[in-house]
Amino acid sequence: MTTTWHLIGKIKPHALSESRLQLHYAIQFIAATGAALAEPLPDYSHTSLAWHPGLEVFVGSAIQAPQPFQVALDPVSLKLMLLNEQSEAIATLPLPGKTMAAGLDWLQQAVAQLGVDGSKIAFLTYPPDDFPDHPLAHGAAFATHQALALSELTDYYANTHPLFQAIMATTEDATATRIWPHHFDMATLIMLPGTKNGSPFTVGVGLSPGDANYNEPYWYVSPYPYPETASLPALNGDGFWHTQHWVGAVLPASRLTAPVSVETQQQQVESFLQAALETSITLLQSASPVKV
């Protein structure tokens, strides 16, 4: 068991939605740079982010340039950064008080100083009604004085990253842990032997900071193809099965045991993830998929 867990729940999970949206928009600078300047990969992971546990920042793909760099974001201060190959900040922009357009203008000029064409960087577009709308998309500036909520959100990612690293270390054919800019979820995908009706067996293990399904952070384990939902087994850690539009085991942050401690929180999340993963693998081996 890891020993670096930060106690979460200092701010109620449902009170994090505004800061979560601000952070979701802030990571789009990283994704845009990867999409424009990184080596394209078929799974689009060049647009994804990683969690840097040493710096406690989100980092994007390595960009090959006369001065190689990565774009990073400090999630507590909302400071946009360019890091060199030694992970040292060589340019920074505090986003609070700035608009998305101002941030993009700074980013384009900053990377041009490193020898690449910054004009190629443009924000990604997503399917209609599948990305959260916010005043930031319409010219508003990033808010100030939200460090407490952002710190709380950051703890979810910092706590979960080593749990996923442990799953990867003990599970064959698990992808690297990535943070995807579309839904802002941190996830690893486990590939399993076999297919069903042409679909390969997979299990996605992830953390969402909140979305249209649940307006709070939640952990999930989703087997695919989706199993029959009529008789899904009970889950450890006070988790439950989500069955609307997708099927997966879910543990919302509001279900963390109270009174809380570092040890009980960590044990509950670890127990939920491990048991839900084992259950999902068993379901894939025995259940028939259905459409939801």
Side-chain angles (χ1 to χ4, degrees):
M1 186 171 69
T2 59
T3 58
T4 58
W5 188 273
H6 301 281
L7 191 68
I8 48 182
K10 300 179 292 296
I11 297 177
K12 297 296 184 182
H14 292 92
L16 298 171
S17 57
E18 173 58 26
S19 290
R20 181 245 302 171
L21 290 170
Q22 299 251 341
L23 191 54
H24 197 169
Y25 272 77
I27 67 165
Q28 299 307 312
F29 295 102
I30 302 178
T33 305
L37 301 176
E39 179 181 354
L41 297 172
D43 63 355
Y44 295 95
S45 59
H46 58 292
T47 69
S48 69
L49 298 70
W51 176 250
H52 192 303
L55 298 178
E56 296 196 331
V57 299
F58 297 120
V59 294
S61 297
I63 307 300
Q64 299 305 312
Q67 285 185 260
F69 68 94
Q70 291 173 283
V71 182
L73 179 77
D74 182 324
V76 178
S77 65
L78 288 188
K79 182 187 295 182
L80 193 61
M81 299 177 285
L82 301 185
L83 305 180
N84 63 18
E85 291 182 292
Q86 291 73 45
S87 295
E88 300 166 334
I90 52 178
T92 63
L93 176 72
L95 288 173
K98 308 290 194 307
T99 64
M100 293 289 289
L104 181 60
D105 183 62
W106 175 87
L107 181 60
Q108 291 173 332
Q109 294 186 48
V111 302
Q113 296 296 316
L114 303 179
V116 295
D117 184 359
S119 67
K120 292 182 178 180
I121 302 175
F123 292 125
L124 300 181
T125 58
Y126 301 104
D129 302 320
D130 197 25
F131 186 81
D133 193 20
H134 189 273
L136 282 166
H138 310 286
F142 283 94
T144 58
H145 307 300
Q146 53 179 338
L148 288 178
L150 290 171
S151 178
E152 179 82 358
L153 283 166
T154 300
D155 284 342
Y156 283 93
Y157 289 95
N159 287 344
T160 302
H161 183 264
L163 303 188
F164 287 1
Q165 295 300 101
I167 289 174
M168 290 168 52
T170 57
T171 307
E172 291 186 13
D173 296 323
T175 65
T177 300
R178 298 188 175 98
I179 300 163
W180 297 94
H182 187 182
H183 294 136
F184 200 14
D185 56 328
M186 172 188 280
T188 178
L189 184 68
I190 299 165
M191 310 297 295
L192 300 173
T195 62
K196 187 76 173 183
N197 298 329
S199 297
F201 287 165
T202 64
V203 180
V205 182
L207 163 75
S208 169
D211 55 22
N213 295 295
Y214 301 98
N215 187 32
E216 61 176 307
Y218 65 93
W219 294 269
Y220 65 85
V221 180
S222 181
Y224 189 84
Y226 299 134
E228 296 280 359
T229 61
S231 56
L232 291 169
L235 294 165
N236 284 6
D238 205 24
F240 60 89
W241 289 100
H242 177 98
T243 58
Q244 298 298 313
H245 307 298
W246 55 275
V247 176
V250 169
L251 174 61
S254 58
R255 285 202 171 199
L256 292 178
T257 302
V260 296
S261 70
V262 167
E263 291 78 12
T264 57
Q265 277 190 351
Q266 183 174 347
Q267 289 171 356
Q268 182 179 356
V269 176
E270 285 185 327
S271 175
F272 164 76
L273 291 173
Q274 190 58 49
L277 176 56
E278 293 172 0
T279 298
S280 293
I281 292 173
T282 299
L283 287 170
L284 284 175
Q285 294 171 341
S286 60
S288 300
V290 296
K291 294 181 179 180
V292 295

